């Protein structure tokens, strides 16, 4: 083996620190969640934020969007939202007597789709092409979306009335699913005092520009992944396919997502190489939402998080063997 | 039922499990070796005596070395008492012949196996087991281990008895008692602890796997005892002899096809007279003393038997380890009984075993060989391997799913004084292993120093780890 010293440029870590401290002005605590959002940004992967109402899902998405010097649009998903409301339409301009393209809110760097599960399956499906291929096809015309492109969707798992569960194909296109969770007592106190004078979101400025983000993404791809660690990520994905409680396991897209996300996480933590810890840490947010449990497992009360934890606790980590 | 009673029952269950296979083993040996001269129940009485006396000794809070000596002195007294009562009952106590019975039995072990020797050995095992139980905290894991080992030994004993056509008295009652003690103890221990590996996500598998493993062991034992009989072995031997005869005949036939070489000499010269050597001179040169020969034979037999027992024990442990791993579950998962789950679990297990067997062929496929590593990298990995081996020997083995960082936290928790050194070793290993980092001479020097510190600061008190 040649002498290789794996170092990474400190720019990624510095940018991540800047974003974290900026978003933390609005979102109290939740540094790990902000780190995961940064991972998604660096992988250009989409994020699904799921939690009960009032936790700060939309606030987090808005704070992240504002921290990036990128164009930002918001879509409030409702049952009467149409695909054309998202992608845009060709309308007839009477002045010029020509059809013209009016872009929809999807034509932005950061798109917040609030309460995504309130949109009908037809509207949800129009996001498939955008999310995977970063383009929109309207009539006979294909329009490329601006780069970087990131969808941050929120959904509420409690209310089921008037909602449409996301199809598996769409869930698979989200790189990460993040749960915020309730703040601690102290954190809740800080939230109240911070919002007493006004909304801190209004004073938030951008700390990362779009061009810089694209450069950071390229730097992350240079992070070294040893073959053993890569095989470990694959082993975790494959283990989900043969698990007794799982009907549909993780796709190769999940393995790819786990690989890319691990690189990004390593770079954020200032490392030029990926450790098994990175893969292990990201397995839950990357894989969980892509799995479909068996009915027996659901009836037994096995949560997907518990199943993924169980899988991770059985897959051997590549370390020295004693024999 | 309060905790004290439950603990008491656990001790009774452990004693019962060990007592059952001990009884079976001694009954077999008694018939084969001692012509049923000794009373097994009398020797088995040593078990509770050993347990009680060692429990009392424990309370003295004397140094462990003294307690051990006292315990084994009591054992010597117990053995002599049993020999006197069972083998020399009619002899007066003043007559010291019975005191010499054991030394004589040991001296003549090469020529004959005397009942006194059987008493000595069995009493040693029983005393040791009683002492072990006195110092042991009987838990769910202990009882499962006892059950595993006991079942294995019982099956072996029954198999041997069937082959030797020895009628073991009360064997049916013995097996029934064994299962009664085992299942009673295991269920009570499980209820007491509630945190065992059966209380999690997959505890629905337990009953099925237990029944399956018991059934498999019994069926296998039955099939082996049915198939592998002395007649079959004789038949196989005769078959081999017949095949060998055929080969010899074929070779002889092939040789006969060639013409015999013509000797140029008409007559062979007369044989040179050999000087007469007396039989005593001849044998002195080539034979070893009978005592040495018997000693070597005994040693060889003991070695082979030990290897066989070890191999069987290892296989059995591996099976149970696999079952435990299969049943390992995270804490906090809820369980809801589901009709039809047992059938699904059972079929799932069979499917898993089938595919596992199919996968065995991979063992015979050549493995891809990695390129040679640089000596610096080898050094770092070697030191980490030494750390793993050392910690494993000290009782903190790394779980297969633990990353080096997670393992570091566990080790540092047990050895806070060596946290810095452990951190350095782990950090260098992680960077080398996953980051393709090449350490300098200085790094290696620091690494060796840290490893030396880790060994030093804990070698004095390994129990701490």
């Amino acid at each position: 083996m040649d002498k290789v010293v794996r170092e990474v440029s400190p720019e990624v870590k510095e940018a991540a620190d800047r974003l974290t401290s900026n978003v933390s002005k609005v979102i109290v605590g939740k540094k790990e969640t902000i780190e995961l959002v940064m991972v998604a940004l660096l992988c250009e992967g989409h994020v699904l934020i799921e939690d009960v109402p009032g936790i700060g899902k939309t606030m987090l998405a808005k704070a992240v969007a504002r921290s990036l010097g990128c164009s930002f649009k918001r879509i409030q998903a409702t049952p009467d939202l149409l695909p054309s409301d998202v992608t845009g339409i060709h309308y007839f301009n009477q002045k010029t007597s020509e059809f013209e393209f009016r872009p929809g809110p999807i034509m932005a760097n950061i798109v917040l789709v609030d309460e995504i599960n309130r949109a009908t399956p037809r509207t949800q499906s129009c996001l498939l092409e955008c999310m995977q291929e970063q383009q929109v096809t309207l009539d006979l015309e294909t329009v490329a979306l601006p780069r970087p492109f990131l969808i941050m969707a929120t959904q509420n798992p409690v209310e089921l009335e008037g909602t449409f569960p996301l199809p598996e194909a769409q869930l698979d296109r989200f790189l990460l699913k993040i749960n915020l969770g309730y703040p601690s007592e102290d954190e809740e106190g800080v939230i109240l005092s911070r919002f007493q004078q006004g909304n801190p979101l209004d004073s938030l400025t951008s700390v990362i520009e779009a061009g810089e983000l694209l450069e950071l993404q390229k730097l992350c791809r240079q992070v070294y992944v040893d073959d053993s660690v890569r095989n470990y990520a694959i082993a975790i994905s494959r283990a989900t396919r043969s698990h007794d409680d799982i009907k549909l396991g993780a796709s190769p897209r999940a393995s790819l997502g786990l690989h890319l996300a691990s690189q990004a996480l390593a770079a954020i933590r200032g490392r030029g190489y990926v450790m098994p810890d990175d893969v292990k840490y990201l397995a839950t947010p990357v894989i969980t939402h892509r799995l479909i449990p068996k009915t027996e497992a659901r009836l037994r009360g096995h949560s997907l998080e518990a199943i993924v934890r169980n899988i991770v606790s059985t897959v051997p980590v590549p370390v020295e063997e004693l024999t | 039922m309060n905790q004290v009673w439950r603990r008491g029952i656990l001790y009774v269950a452990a004693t019962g499990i060990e007592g059952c296979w001990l009884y079976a083993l001694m009954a077999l040996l008694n018939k084969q070796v001692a012509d049923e001269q000794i009373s097994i129940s009398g020797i088995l009485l040593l078990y509770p005596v050993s347990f009680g006396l060692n429990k009392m000794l424990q309370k003295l809070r004397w140094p462990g070395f003294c307690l051990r000596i006292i315990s084994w002195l009591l054992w010597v007294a117990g053995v002599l008492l049993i020999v006197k009562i069972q083998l020399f009952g009619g002899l007066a106590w003043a007559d010291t012949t019975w005191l010499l019975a054991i030394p004589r039995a040991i001296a003549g072990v090469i020529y004959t196996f005397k009942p006194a020797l059987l008493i000595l050995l069995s009493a040693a095992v029983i005393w040791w087991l009683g002492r072990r139980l006195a110092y042991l905290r009987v838990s769910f894991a202990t009882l499962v281990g006892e059950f595993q080992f006991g079942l294995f030994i019982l099956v072996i004993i029954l198999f041997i008895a069937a082959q030797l056509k020895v009628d073991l008295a009360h064997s049916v009652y013995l097996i029934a008692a064994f299962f009664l003690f085992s299942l009673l103890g295991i269920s009570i221990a499980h209820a007491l602890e509630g945190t065992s590996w059966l209380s999690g996500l997959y505890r629905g598998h337990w009953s099925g796997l237990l029944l399956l493993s018991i059934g498999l062991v019994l069926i296998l034992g039955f099939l082996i005892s049915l198939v592998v009989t002395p007649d079959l072995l004789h038949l196989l031997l005769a078959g081999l002899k017949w095949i060998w005869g055929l080969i010899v005949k074929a070779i002889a036939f092939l040789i006969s096809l060639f013409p015999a070489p013509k000797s140029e000499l008409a007559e062979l010269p007369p044989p040179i007279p050999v000087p007469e050597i007396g039989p005593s001179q001849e044998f002195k040169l080539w034979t070893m003393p009978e005592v040495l020969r018997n000693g070597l034979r005994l040693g060889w037999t003991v070695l082979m038997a030990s290897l066989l027992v070890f191999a069987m024990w290892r296989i059995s442990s591996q099976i149970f380890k696999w079952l435990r791993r299969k049943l390992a579950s995270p804490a906090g998962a809820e369980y809801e009984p589901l009709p039809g789950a047992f059938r699904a679990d059972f079929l799932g297990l069979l499917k898993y075993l089938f595919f596992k067997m199919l996968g065995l062929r991979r063992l015979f496929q050549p493995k891809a060989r990695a390129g040679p590593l640089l000596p610096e990298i080898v050094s770092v990995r070697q030191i980490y391997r030494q750390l793993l081996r050392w910690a494993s020997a000290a009782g903190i083995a790394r779980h297969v799913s633990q990353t080096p960082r997670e393992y570091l936290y566990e080790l540092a928790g047990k050895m806070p004084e060596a946290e810095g050194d452990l951190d350095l070793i782990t950090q260098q290993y992680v960077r080398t292993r996953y980051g393709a980092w090449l350490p300098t001479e200085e790094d290696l020097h620091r690494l060796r120093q840290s490893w030396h510190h880790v060994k030093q600061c804990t070698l004095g008190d390994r129990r701490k780890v």
Side-chain angles (χ1 to χ4, degrees):
Chain A
M1 191 190 294
D2 298 329
K3 182 174 175 171
V4 186
V5 180
R6 302 290 170 188
E7 295 296 338
V8 70
S9 167
E11 289 168 36
V12 183
K13 190 174 185 307
E14 283 168 16
D17 291 343
R18 264 184 281 144
L19 182 92
T20 307
S21 60
N22 204 48
V23 175
S24 296
K25 289 175 187 167
V26 181
I27 303 293
V28 181
K30 313 295 175 202
K31 293 222 165 144
E32 288 183 357
T33 311
I34 300 167
E35 191 182 48
L36 285 175
V37 173
M38 187 67 195
V39 166
L41 283 171
L42 292 173
C43 299
E44 215 171 353
H46 311 290
V47 185
L48 177 65
I49 308 171
E50 186 184 87
D51 224 315
V52 291
I55 290 288
K57 302 185 290 289
T58 311
M59 189 65 85
L60 171 69
K62 284 166 83 173
V64 171
R66 197 162 284 195
S67 301
L68 302 168
C70 309
S71 56
F72 169 69
K73 291 278 167 57
R74 177 196 168 116
I75 302 168
Q76 184 64 51
T78 53
D80 58 352
L81 186 78
L82 293 172
S84 56
D85 297 335
V86 176
T87 56
I89 51 164
H90 280 108
Y91 76 102
F92 187 72
N93 190 336
Q94 289 184 335
K95 281 183 187 170
T96 58
S97 295
E98 279 181 354
F99 277 97
E100 282 183 10
F101 176 60
R102 178 186 283 175
I106 201 74
M107 301 289 170
N109 293 121
I110 310 286
V111 180
L112 167 63
V113 186
D114 208 15
E115 307 262 10
I116 189 170
N117 55 340
R118 290 192 184 280
T120 56
R122 185 181 167 207
T123 312
Q124 287 175 5
S125 300
C126 80
L127 292 169
L128 293 177
E129 188 187 0
C130 314
M131 291 172 81
Q132 186 60 31
E133 296 167 48
Q134 287 155 344
Q135 62 182 30
V136 180
T137 305
L138 288 159
D139 299 333
L140 295 173
E141 193 183 347
T142 300
V143 183
L145 294 172
R147 302 289 298 274
F149 176 70
L150 174 81
I151 287 184
M152 295 178 78
T154 68
Q155 74 170 359
N156 171 6
V158 180
E159 284 178 52
L160 295 174
E161 204 173 328
T163 61
F164 304 91
L166 295 178
E168 273 65 44
Q170 185 153 29
L171 283 172
D172 199 34
R173 281 167 168 78
F174 282 104
L175 177 71
L176 301 170
K177 191 181 93 170
I178 298 171
N179 296 88
L180 277 169
Y182 284 109
S184 66
E185 195 178 343
D186 294 340
E187 285 169 355
E188 212 159 341
V190 176
I191 291 169
L192 295 187
S193 61
R194 198 174 285 181
F195 280 75
Q196 192 177 349
Q197 301 298 328
N199 192 343
L201 189 67
D202 300 336
S203 58
L204 225 55
T205 53
S206 72
V207 288
I208 302 174
E209 296 304 317
E212 189 186 355
L213 190 59
L214 287 173
E215 284 302 313
L216 296 176
Q217 285 173 357
K218 282 182 193 160
L219 283 176
C220 286
R221 299 288 75 81
Q222 291 168 14
V223 169
Y224 173 72
V225 187
D226 191 65
D227 285 347
S228 60
V229 179
R230 186 178 293 121
N231 292 337
Y232 176 58
I234 294 169
I236 289 177
S237 277
R238 292 186 74 83
T240 61
R241 295 172 205 161
S242 55
H243 196 270
D244 295 340
D245 286 344
I246 305 280
K247 191 158 75 180
L248 181 73
S251 60
R253 192 189 277 145
S255 308
L256 184 64
L258 192 56
H259 182 256
L260 295 178
S262 306
Q263 280 185 309
L265 185 68
I268 289 169
R269 292 181 177 177
R271 261 184 286 111
Y273 57 93
V274 175
M275 281 165 49
D277 302 74
D278 302 324
V279 179
K280 209 171 182 181
Y281 175 71
L282 287 165
T284 310
V286 172
I287 292 179
T288 308
H289 60 284
R290 303 169 199 256
L291 308 178
I292 303 179
K294 281 186 185 165
T295 315
E296 303 96 278
R298 261 205 293 259
L299 287 171
R300 281 176 182 161
H302 299 172
S303 69
L304 277 170
E305 282 79 7
I307 294 170
V308 173
R309 276 201 301 274
N310 176 253
I311 289 169
V312 170
S313 70
T314 53
V315 175
V317 174
V319 185
E320 298 306 297
E321 286 178 12
L322 291 182
T323 51
Chain B
M1 200 189 296
N2 62 24
Q3 291 277 331
V4 181
W5 272 101
R6 283 182 187 176
R7 288 270 165 228
I9 291 174
L10 291 188
Y11 278 111
V12 172
T15 313
I17 294 168
E18 286 179 350
C20 287
W21 65 260
L22 272 171
Y23 187 91
L25 180 66
M26 286 177 63
L28 181 67
L29 290 173
N30 196 19
K31 287 212 172 184
Q32 285 299 108
V33 182
D35 294 331
E36 298 190 71
Q37 286 183 43
I38 56 176
S39 158
I40 299 166
S41 317
I43 300 178
L44 277 178
L45 268 179
L46 266 185
Y47 196 112
V49 172
S50 165
F51 175 74
L53 286 174
N54 280 297
K55 268 276 177 206
M56 286 199 303
L57 286 174
Q58 246 182 309
K59 289 178 184 167
L60 291 177
R61 301 202 178 280
W62 287 357
F65 180 67
C66 295
L67 293 180
R68 203 169 292 135
I69 287 176
I70 294 171
S71 172
W72 286 106
L73 283 176
L74 289 169
W75 165 72
V76 171
V79 170
L80 290 175
L81 200 66
I82 291 172
V83 169
K84 168 73 183 75
I85 293 169
Q86 293 206 4
L87 300 179
F88 300 90
L91 212 66
W93 287 89
D95 190 344
T96 54
T97 317
W98 59 275
L99 281 173
L100 298 171
I102 289 176
R104 277 180 188 156
I106 293 170
V109 68
I110 296 163
Y111 306 104
T112 176
F113 196 93
K114 291 184 178 172
L117 205 61
L118 180 61
I119 291 177
L120 179 78
L121 292 176
S122 51
V125 173
I126 290 168
W127 191 269
W128 178 78
L129 286 172
R131 188 169 185 278
R132 175 178 156 271
L133 191 67
Y135 285 87
L136 196 72
R137 186 182 171 275
V138 181
S139 64
F140 176 77
T142 319
L143 283 167
V144 172
E146 291 283 346
F147 172 65
Q148 168 196 3
F149 183 75
L151 184 64
F152 178 71
I153 295 287
L154 262 182
V155 170
I156 296 268
I157 291 166
L158 293 176
F159 170 67
I160 292 171
Q163 292 303 311
L164 297 174
K165 299 199 184 335
V166 176
D167 180 27
L168 279 185
H170 319 304
S171 57
V172 175
Y173 301 114
L174 208 63
I175 292 168
F178 175 78
F179 276 99
L180 179 75
F181 281 123
S182 302
L183 297 179
L184 179 77
I186 287 171
S187 53
I188 290 178
H190 186 237
L192 263 176
E193 292 174 17
T195 53
S196 69
W197 47 277
L198 291 178
S199 304
L201 199 62
Y202 295 106
R203 64 180 179 184
H205 294 256
W206 163 243
S207 53
L209 285 171
L210 180 67
L211 288 174
L212 182 72
S213 58
I214 292 169
L216 272 177
V217 168
L218 293 179
I219 290 166
L220 276 175
F222 179 67
L223 286 177
I224 289 169
S225 61
L226 271 184
V227 176
V228 187
T229 57
D231 294 340
L232 179 75
L233 292 174
H234 286 307
L235 198 69
L236 284 174
L237 198 65
L240 285 173
K241 278 182 182 170
W242 183 74
I243 291 167
W244 179 244
L246 276 183
I247 293 167
V248 170
K249 276 181 187 172
I251 293 168
F253 173 71
L254 287 173
I255 290 170
S256 70
L257 292 177
F258 295 99
K262 285 180 183 175
S263 175
E264 289 179 1
L265 295 170
E267 283 182 3
L268 286 171
I272 301 161
V274 181
E276 290 282 327
I277 301 172
S280 57
Q281 285 173 309
E282 193 181 347
F283 284 100
K284 264 184 188 173
L285 286 171
W286 298 105
T287 54
M288 63 174 79
E290 193 63 23
V291 178
L292 182 62
R293 186 199 296 272
N294 285 333
L296 286 175
R297 193 182 294 155
L298 184 71
W300 179 253
T301 312
V302 169
L303 180 70
M304 286 297 118
S306 311
L307 282 175
L308 185 70
V309 168
F310 176 74
M312 295 179 101
W313 166 249
R314 185 89 185 128
I315 293 165
S316 146
S317 299
Q318 289 292 324
I319 293 170
F320 267 78
K321 203 173 166 188
W322 174 80
L323 284 174
R324 284 187 186 188
R325 205 169 51 234
K326 180 83 184 152
L327 296 171
S329 60
E334 289 179 8
Y335 170 74
E336 188 177 323
L338 189 72
F342 173 71
R343 186 175 152 273
D345 290 346
F346 182 67
L347 289 176
L349 181 70
L350 288 182
K351 197 171 80 178
Y352 175 81
L353 289 174
F354 177 70
F355 285 111
K356 201 79 181 166
M357 277 191 281
L358 283 182
L360 282 178
R361 67 171 187 273
R362 286 184 200 161
L363 289 175
F364 303 102
Q365 287 172 356
K367 288 181 181 173
R369 294 183 68 180
L373 295 171
L374 289 173
E376 292 91 336
I377 295 175
V378 171
S379 302
V380 175
R381 291 175 71 159
Q382 204 170 7
I383 287 179
Y384 192 74
R385 207 177 298 131
Q386 283 174 5
L387 172 71
L388 287 180
R389 198 173 291 129
W390 175 84
S392 176
I396 325 171
R398 189 189 73 86
H399 188 266
V400 284
S401 68
Q402 263 184 322
T403 65
R405 282 261 156 223
E406 290 167 346
Y407 190 50
L408 167 69
Y409 295 139
E410 192 184 343
L411 282 179
K414 300 274 168 57
M415 297 189 293
E417 70 276 14
E419 191 179 346
D421 293 311
L422 288 168
D423 186 54
L424 189 134
I425 294 170
T426 307
Q427 210 169 41
Q428 286 212 14
Y429 172 72
V430 165
R431 292 175 74 187
T432 313
R433 181 77 164 78
Y434 309 118
W437 173 73
L438 196 64
T440 60
E441 269 306 312
E442 195 189 333
D443 292 324
L444 285 175
H445 179 67
R446 284 172 59 204
L447 181 71
R448 287 191 193 105
Q449 271 189 332
S450 292
W451 171 227
H452 188 64
H453 289 162
V454 169
K455 280 195 292 185
Q456 269 193 335
C457 68
T458 49
L459 268 177
D461 189 6
R462 286 286 283 269
R463 282 182 191 175
K464 217 167 163 185
V465 180

